[in-house]
């Protein structure tokens, strides 16, 4: 819509909202340590609960109601709460809560909280708690001009959110994904405050209604506020940004390991229209020797868009189709939307009505909304029994051999003026009824939770895969997310990097955009460049909208096909490395795809660097993000980096100019890091205990030790939860004329072990004449061969060691 001058009418400009706030909690009138743990400060007009969750996580809850409640939303892991010893000390001015690793000072006259860390450093200070006339509670805290803000989930714009203002309200935004858009599909009300001169901290505002974060209106302070419900937030302390991310993920949960097939290449289209088309597509991948693990079926597979059905004309024999694909090692992922068609002859609609499973208004009327199937009812996923029922319905898919489900439209999106469910729907919420307005951002995540739990029960030990468009804090426990309806714009290729980086910093490591862009029309060059970048994202799917130009890897002729093929193959080559990063995410909550900021927080050059990224710690990817471009600046951080293509070595801490003809993605490997590669000529290499793995190391010149690890398990079952996995750690060090590698198993529990571990060291700076292998000081045997032309040495370590030390000189 065209805008006029009216858009900048003076009455629309708001002053600093702090002046407009009418309400404050007032002065503290009483304070006490609670038996249940935590401290309660009664004020003139409210009460504030300060509850240590762990030594490094402190919860602050503003209570305006009468009764004290410790209740959290479902996003919070109840098992993180531990009893933290503390002491409440009163002085003339304030109350001091002294905890083992932090202390809080609550000022008597205004109930403002100052938080100090272990070292006695002031980490954060309140300007004040407030409420607007309409009862939106908020908190304003001090800020500094040179602070940086990261996280906030799935947002447009760049990595650093300082100076931005966002809302959290899960929204179906087909258009436009531009910096001005304040909400997208996923809402994660969590951010990291980072300042070079100060200790970082995180704030998680646990409120699934509409919330707002304002880092724009003032330079000295920022604010966050809730539209409804309680102001309930968690302070997360730490020495590093990594600490904050990891602790935030302990609070909202960490992902399970996905099955290997879920991290391979996925192909999608709105829609593959018939079973014949799907089968032909699968065979084309094989003929063209382009690996693919999953093909997605968008809404046209259904019978008039009824979920849990197949269209009898387009897909008359789904079982046969799925079996044929399974023989090729390709899985089907079917889309499932929340809307259940109003149709008295339809099983799920009947059951939902008879059992009272659909969302209702306070007055008792069902909520009906228009979506693909026409008038539809929506399951109330806030109730456990209903989630259980929804999960069970997936037997329809699992019995056909489907292991993966794609949840779309679960913001929920509704074709009406508000674009979502009516706000006066009252969710049952397991005995604690709340309006849709209060729980909106949870709806999609709870749908994925139901889906994942149902699949898990049905897949007899195989890991399911769930992909969701909407989510809230903690979504990582249930599903991967894709970033919704982007477009085939170069700008959206560029924006996908900070978006997925910030999702990773917000606890969701498993994410990716539609490769090639969803809406609009991909160009040959865009598809090539997007595929090059996309294969290094945690989630890797090519998807495009109905009526857009085709963008399968071969859609633009041989040259582009060859590029797409080689990069998709490269994803499989690096899959053992990528999978190890998934393990890391599962264990620690740290992201797979990382901004340089996470690893090099002392380097002021990287605070908003987001046209390049790291995968784990050892791969640096610097994609081309503009058309007709064959070179770009790449910032290499501290350390030594090797150009993947030329083997050229660079000392980091500077920009270099990378050569990037269309077929080349600028890619750098950290020198000295041991990177597991899957070596295979197979059309679709399989990641499992039998995969042919070669560990590749680019020699470094420096003496410093570089540590790496390699995780493996069966990549398909939950046996790893019982300890059935291998974890091998490497440490390399380099001298002028020698080098050594320390290899030790932290866990070596797989039943079938490889005969040998193969390691190749490339770009050696000396000519080796001797290789010694020691196992606990005993000299062992190790085969080796040196290729003088490529200056690389290959080692074959007989795999009966727990700990081996190899020296090459
Ligand atoms: O656009 O199911 O974001 O991936 O192809 C309306 C059809 C609904 C939106 C999803 C998109 C999917 C499409 N859906």
């Amino acid at each position: 819509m065209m805008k006029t001058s009216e858009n900048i009418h003076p009455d629309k400009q708001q002053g600093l909202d702090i002046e407009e706030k009418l309400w404050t909690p007032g002065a503290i009138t009483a304070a006490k340590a609670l038996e249940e743990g935590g401290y309660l400060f009664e004020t003139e007009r409210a009460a504030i609960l300060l509850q240590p969750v762990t030594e490094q996580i402190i919860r602050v809850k503003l209570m305006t109601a009468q009764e004290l409640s410790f209740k959290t939303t479902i996003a919070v892991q109840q098992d993180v709460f531990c009893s933290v010893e503390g002491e409440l000390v009163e002085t003339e001015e304030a109350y001091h809560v002294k905890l083992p690793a932090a202390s809080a000072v609550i000022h008597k006259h205004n109930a403002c909280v100052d938080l100090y860390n272990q070292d006695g450093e002031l980490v954060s200070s309140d300007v004040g708690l407030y409420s607007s006339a309409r009862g939106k509670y908020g908190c304003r805290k001090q800020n500094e001009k040179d602070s940086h803000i990261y996280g906030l989930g799935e947002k447009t714009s760049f990595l650093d959110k300082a100076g931005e203002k966002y809302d959290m309200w899960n929204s179906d935004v087909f258009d436009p994904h531009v910096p001005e858009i304040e909400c997208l599909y996923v809402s994660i009300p969590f951010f990291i405050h980072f300042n070079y001169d100060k200790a970082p901290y995180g704030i998680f505002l646990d409120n699934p209604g509409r919330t707002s974060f304002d880092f724009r209106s003032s330079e000295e302070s920022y604010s966050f506020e809730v539209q409804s419900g309680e102001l309930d937030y968690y302070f997360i302390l730490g020495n590093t940004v990594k600490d904050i991310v990891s602790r935030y993920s302990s609070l909202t949960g960490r992902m399970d390991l996905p099955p290997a097939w879920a991290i391979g290449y996925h192909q999608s289209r709105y829609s593959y229209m018939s079973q014949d088309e799907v089968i032909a597509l699968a065979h084309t991948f094989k003929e063209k020797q382009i690996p693919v693990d999953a093909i997605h079926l968008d809404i046209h597979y259904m019978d008039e868009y009824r979920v849990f059905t197949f269209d009898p004309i387009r897909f008359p024999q789904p079982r046969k189709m799925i079996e044929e694909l399974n023989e090729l090692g390709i899985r089907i992922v079917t889309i499932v939307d929340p809307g259940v068609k109003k149709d008295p002859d339809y099983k799920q609609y009947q059951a939902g009505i008879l059992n009272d499973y659909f969302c209702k208004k306070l007055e008792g009327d069902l909520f009906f909304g228009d979506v693909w199937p026409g008038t539809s009812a929506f399951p109330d996923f806030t109730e456990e029994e209903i989630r259980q029922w929804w999960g069970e319905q997936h037997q329809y898919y699992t019995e056909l051999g489907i292991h993966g489900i794609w949840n779309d439209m679960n913001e929920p999106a509704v074709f009406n003026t508000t674009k979502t469910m009516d706000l006066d729907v009252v969710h049952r919420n397991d005995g604690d009824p709340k309006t849709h307005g209060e729980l909106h951002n949870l709806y999609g995540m709870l749908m994925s939770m139901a889906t994942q739990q149902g699949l898990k029960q049905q897949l007899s030990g195989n890991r399911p895969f769930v992909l969701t468009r909407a989510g809230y804090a903690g979504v990582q426990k249930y599903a991967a997310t894709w970033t919704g309806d982007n477009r085939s714009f170069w700008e959206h290729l560029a924006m996908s990097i900070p978006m997925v980086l910030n999702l990773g910093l917000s606890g969701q490591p498993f994410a990716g955009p539609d490769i090639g862009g969803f809406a609009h029309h991909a160009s040959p060059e865009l598809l090539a460049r997007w595929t090059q970048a996309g294969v290094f994202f945690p989630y890797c799917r090519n998807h495009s909208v109905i009526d857009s130009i085709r963008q399968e890897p071969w859609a633009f002729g041989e040259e582009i096909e060859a590029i797409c093929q080689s990069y998709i193959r490269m994803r499989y080559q690096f899959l053992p490395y990528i999978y190890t990063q998934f393990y890391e995410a599962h264990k620690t909550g740290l992201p797979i795809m990382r901004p340089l900021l996470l690893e090099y927080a002392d380097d002021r050059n990287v605070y908003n660097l987001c046209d390049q990224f790291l995968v784990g710690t050892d791969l640096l990817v610097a994609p081309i993000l503009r058309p007709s471009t064959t070179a770009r600046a790449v910032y290499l951080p501290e350390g030594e980096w090797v150009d993947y293509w030329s083997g050229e070595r660079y000392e980091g801490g500077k920009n270099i100019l990378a050569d990037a003809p269309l077929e080349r993605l600028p890619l750098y490997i950290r020198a000295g890091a041991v990177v597991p590669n899957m070596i295979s000529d197979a059309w679709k290499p399989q990641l499992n205990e039998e995969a042919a793995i070669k560990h590749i190391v680019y020699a470094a010149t420096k003496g410093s030790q570089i540590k790496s690890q390699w995780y493996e398990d069966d990549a398909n079952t939950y046996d790893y939860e019982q300890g059935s996995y291998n974890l091998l750690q490497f440490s390399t060090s380099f001298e002028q004329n020698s080098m050594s590698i320390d290899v030790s198993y932290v866990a070596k529990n797989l039943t079938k072990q490889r005969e040998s571990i193969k390691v190749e060291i490339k770009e050696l700076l000396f000519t080796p004449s001797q290789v010694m292998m020691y196992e606990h000081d005993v000299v062992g045997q190790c085969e080796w061969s040196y290729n003088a032309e490529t200056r690389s040495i290959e080692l074959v370590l007989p795999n009966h060691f727990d700990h081996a030390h190899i020296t090459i000189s």
Side-chain angles (χ1 to χ4, degrees):
M1 205 175 53
M2 194 191 77
K3 292 178 179 169
T4 66
S5 300
E6 205 196 341
N7 286 82
I8 47 171
H9 191 291
D11 289 359
K12 287 194 176 162
Q13 308 302 310
Q14 287 173 355
L16 240 190
D17 28 358
I18 194 159
E19 283 145 19
E20 294 169 13
K21 302 306 168 194
L22 304 176
W23 181 96
T24 66
I28 297 179
T29 52
K32 64 174 176 220
L34 300 167
E35 261 172 44
E36 302 93 322
Y39 305 86
L40 189 70
F41 301 91
E42 281 171 37
T43 72
E44 291 167 295
R45 289 177 284 276
I48 296 163
L49 170 68
L50 201 131
Q51 184 186 16
V53 177
T54 68
E55 290 195 359
Q56 308 277 2
I57 303 178
I58 297 165
R59 178 185 190 188
V60 179
K61 189 172 178 182
L62 172 67
M63 279 169 308
T64 48
Q66 286 310 306
E67 76 277 22
L68 168 69
S69 161
F70 288 90
K71 213 173 164 209
T72 74
T73 71
I74 198 166
V76 171
Q77 298 285 97
Q78 299 305 309
D79 58 6
V80 288
F81 286 84
C82 47
S83 81
V84 179
E85 281 206 19
E87 202 191 341
L88 181 66
V89 179
E90 183 179 353
T91 65
E92 205 176 313
E93 302 273 296
Y95 290 97
H96 296 244
V97 173
K98 299 194 169 167
L99 301 168
S103 66
V105 176
I106 302 92
H107 297 277
K108 283 183 179 170
H109 72 284
N110 59 5
C112 281
V113 181
D114 292 338
L115 193 72
Y116 294 81
N117 68 12
Q118 211 153 11
D119 309 326
E121 185 189 341
L122 178 60
V123 176
S124 154
S125 296
D126 276 358
V127 175
L129 292 166
Y130 63 79
S131 157
S132 70
R134 275 180 240 99
K136 303 181 203 167
Y137 294 100
C139 178
R140 180 170 289 279
K141 291 187 190 289
Q142 283 179 16
N143 200 10
E144 308 76 29
K145 258 193 222 162
D146 53 351
S147 293
H148 306 274
I149 304 294
Y150 305 110
L152 294 166
E154 184 188 58
K155 296 293 178 199
T156 52
S157 207
F158 294 97
L159 179 68
D160 184 358
K161 301 306 188 194
E164 302 284 359
K165 192 164 175 268
Y166 293 108
D167 268 17
M168 298 291 170
W169 184 256
N170 290 356
S171 307
D172 169 18
V173 184
F174 175 62
D175 187 40
H177 291 198
V178 293
E180 275 172 310
I181 278 283
E182 296 195 339
C183 316
L184 286 173
Y185 316 86
V186 173
S187 294
I188 307 183
F190 163 72
F191 67 87
I192 300 156
H193 183 276
F194 175 81
N195 186 299
Y196 183 85
D197 297 313
K198 297 182 67 182
Y201 64 91
I203 289 200
F204 168 46
L205 174 60
D206 187 21
N207 181 308
R210 186 187 277 272
T211 57
S212 312
F213 292 80
D214 183 358
F215 301 98
R216 181 179 297 157
S217 305
S218 160
E219 271 187 348
E220 289 85 46
S221 65
Y222 65 80
S223 63
F224 50 90
E225 61 186 43
V226 305
Q227 281 271 329
S228 58
E230 282 162 321
L231 184 78
D232 185 3
Y233 71 91
Y234 296 79
F235 256 123
I236 304 169
L237 293 161
N239 295 323
T240 61
V241 176
K242 278 189 177 173
D243 290 346
I244 310 291
V245 176
S246 192
R247 284 176 189 145
Y248 165 74
S249 75
S250 72
L251 190 61
T252 56
R254 293 175 182 152
M255 69 185 301
D256 287 347
L257 276 165
W261 68 269
I263 61 171
Y265 177 73
H266 291 207
Q267 183 64 51
S268 185
R269 170 89 180 164
Y270 171 22
S271 302
Y272 292 120
M273 292 291 186
S274 71
Q275 97 185 24
D276 293 341
E277 188 183 359
V278 171
I279 292 170
L281 182 80
H283 286 286
T284 308
F285 272 99
K286 185 165 185 196
E287 273 155 33
K288 293 185 173 291
Q289 299 282 294
I290 300 173
V292 61
D293 263 296
I295 293 175
H296 288 232
L297 300 187
D298 208 323
I299 52 176
H300 291 91
Y301 81 86
M302 291 180 271
D303 182 13
E304 294 179 318
Y305 312 119
R306 287 175 188 84
V307 289
F308 314 110
T309 67
F310 268 92
D311 183 296
I313 296 161
R314 291 185 171 125
F315 291 86
Q317 297 149 304
R319 187 182 303 279
K320 194 168 152 265
M321 170 188 73
I322 289 157
E323 278 167 7
E324 191 165 340
L325 262 66
N326 279 353
E327 274 165 32
L328 294 171
I330 302 173
R331 296 202 171 273
I332 284 288
V333 175
T334 44
I335 198 168
V336 175
D337 292 355
V340 175
K341 185 176 176 63
K342 179 173 194 284
D343 167 4
D345 293 325
Y346 167 35
K347 185 176 146 198
Q348 276 75 21
Y349 182 72
Q350 281 174 357
I353 294 291
L354 293 175
N355 297 305
D356 196 15
Y357 287 157
F358 294 127
C359 292
K360 281 180 170 169
K361 309 251 202 172
L362 178 61
E363 294 77 8
D365 302 339
L366 279 172
F367 167 75
F368 287 110
D370 253 26
V371 273
W372 305 125
T375 307
S376 302
F378 293 76
D380 190 352
F381 296 117
T382 65
E383 185 83 355
E384 193 176 343
E385 184 194 338
I386 303 174
R387 287 198 295 274
Q388 174 90 29
W389 169 70
W390 187 257
E392 282 162 11
Q393 303 315 299
H394 289 75
Q395 234 151 33
Y396 175 76
Y397 297 111
T398 51
E399 278 174 5
L400 288 169
I402 291 173
H403 290 202
I405 296 291
W406 166 21
N407 286 159
D408 186 24
M409 304 286 280
N410 54 344
E411 293 73 27
V414 180
F415 306 151
N416 61 14
T417 45
T418 66
K419 314 284 184 218
T420 193
M421 188 173 276
D422 292 352
L423 303 186
D424 56 352
V425 161
V426 177
H427 292 293
R428 273 153 270 186
N429 198 30
D430 287 328
D432 182 17
K434 292 211 153 92
T435 62
H436 185 70
E438 288 171 284
L439 295 182
H440 174 76
N441 291 337
L442 269 177
Y443 189 81
M445 180 172 99
L446 295 177
M447 178 186 186
S448 293
M449 177 184 181
T451 307
Q452 187 219 38
Q453 291 177 347
L455 295 178
K456 235 170 142 169
Q457 275 162 20
Q458 293 149 29
L459 292 182
S460 37
N462 293 301
R463 302 176 202 165
F465 169 66
V466 181
L467 179 66
T468 183
R469 192 169 72 173
Y472 180 66
V475 64
Q476 64 273 6
K477 296 182 292 246
Y478 312 115
T481 50
W482 94 102
T483 58
D485 297 345
N486 64 0
R487 310 205 145 215
S488 298
F489 294 169
W490 289 91
E491 291 84 347
H492 282 187
L493 162 57
M495 193 175 65
S496 68
I497 301 174
M499 197 181 274
V500 174
L501 290 175
N502 272 321
L503 274 163
L505 294 175
S506 311
Q508 170 55 302
F510 197 6
D514 283 347
I515 293 172
F518 177 67
H520 195 55
H521 305 284
S523 69
E525 196 188 351
L526 179 68
L527 181 69
R529 291 307 194 185
W530 208 323
T531 305
Q532 291 174 346
V535 299
F536 288 97
F537 277 58
Y539 182 57
C540 178
R541 181 182 75 158
N542 172 317
H543 181 50
S544 54
V545 72
I546 201 163
D547 290 337
S548 63
I549 198 166
R550 304 295 296 211
Q551 63 182 44
E552 285 80 12
W554 51 84
F556 294 104
E558 279 174 20
E559 186 196 2
I560 303 299
E561 179 184 327
I563 293 172
C564 293
Q565 184 205 43
S566 70
Y567 282 88
I568 295 170
R569 295 190 68 90
M570 197 186 260
R571 180 169 181 96
Y572 286 79
Q573 178 193 328
F574 283 113
L575 217 51
Y577 176 77
I578 295 172
Y579 190 61
T580 299
Q581 309 316 310
F582 272 86
Y583 168 74
E584 179 81 11
H586 156 72
K587 274 316 253 197
T588 66
L590 291 175
I592 294 155
M593 177 167 162
R594 300 180 179 181
L596 273 69
L597 161 272
L598 194 68
E599 299 296 328
Y600 303 92
D602 287 336
D603 183 346
R604 294 178 191 257
N605 295 311
V606 303
Y607 295 165
N608 200 9
L609 188 63
C610 53
D611 61 354
Q612 55 178 78
F613 60 89
L614 295 164
V615 180
T617 52
D618 305 333
L619 301 189
L620 189 150
V621 182
I624 296 297
L625 306 170
R626 301 177 64 83
S628 315
T629 303
T630 52
R632 63 160 284 173
V634 177
Y635 184 74
L636 296 175
E638 182 195 0
E640 227 181 328
W641 294 87
V642 181
D643 181 322
Y644 176 79
W645 304 104
S646 67
E648 201 171 331
R649 205 183 301 270
Y650 295 95
E651 188 58 43
K654 61 169 185 263
N655 280 292
I656 60 162
L657 187 66
D659 194 25
L662 186 59
E663 68 284 358
R664 184 176 299 182
L665 164 80
L667 175 63
Y668 301 84
I669 318 277
R670 192 157 74 111
V674 182
V675 178
N677 282 234
M678 182 151 64
I679 307 295
S680 166
D681 292 330
W683 158 53
K684 189 165 80 65
Q686 286 280 359
L687 182 69
N688 58 32
E689 316 98 292
E690 281 160 32
I693 305 285
K694 194 195 232 179
H695 298 274
I696 298 195
V697 190
Y698 287 89
T701 50
K702 290 274 158 63
S704 69
Q705 291 203 336
I706 305 283
K707 291 190 168 28
S708 330
Q709 61 174 14
W710 171 43
Y711 172 83
E712 68 166 344
D713 61 17
D714 65 27
N716 185 48
T717 75
Y718 287 93
D719 291 356
Y720 71 93
E721 288 180 344
Q722 264 60 59
S724 193
Y725 61 84
N726 287 354
L727 184 60
L728 189 56
Q729 287 187 341
F730 298 90
S731 167
T732 59
S733 59
F734 293 81
E735 304 299 331
Q736 199 160 20
N737 288 310
S738 68
M739 65 164 291
S740 67
I741 314 181
D742 216 60
V743 200
S744 70
Y745 278 102
V746 178
K748 194 181 188 181
N749 299 328
L750 289 174
T751 12
K752 195 158 177 261
Q753 294 288 344
R754 288 190 173 69
E755 273 176 27
S756 60
I757 301 294
K758 298 193 176 70
V759 182
E760 179 181 349
I761 301 123
K762 291 179 182 262
E763 304 293 334
L764 268 187
L765 293 164
F766 61 92
T767 307
S769 54
Q770 195 186 36
V771 176
M772 301 290 288
M773 173 167 167
Y774 305 90
E775 294 171 46
H776 300 288
D777 298 330
V778 180
V779 180
Q781 289 297 321
C782 152
E783 279 174 48
W784 64 280
S785 59
Y786 179 66
N787 181 330
E789 214 173 299
T790 61
R791 300 198 317 278
S792 65
I793 183 168
E794 279 206 42
L795 311 176
V796 181
L797 317 180
N799 185 21
H800 44 60
F801 62 89
D802 290 323
H803 176 137
H805 184 78
I806 297 115
T807 59
I808 303 170
S809 54

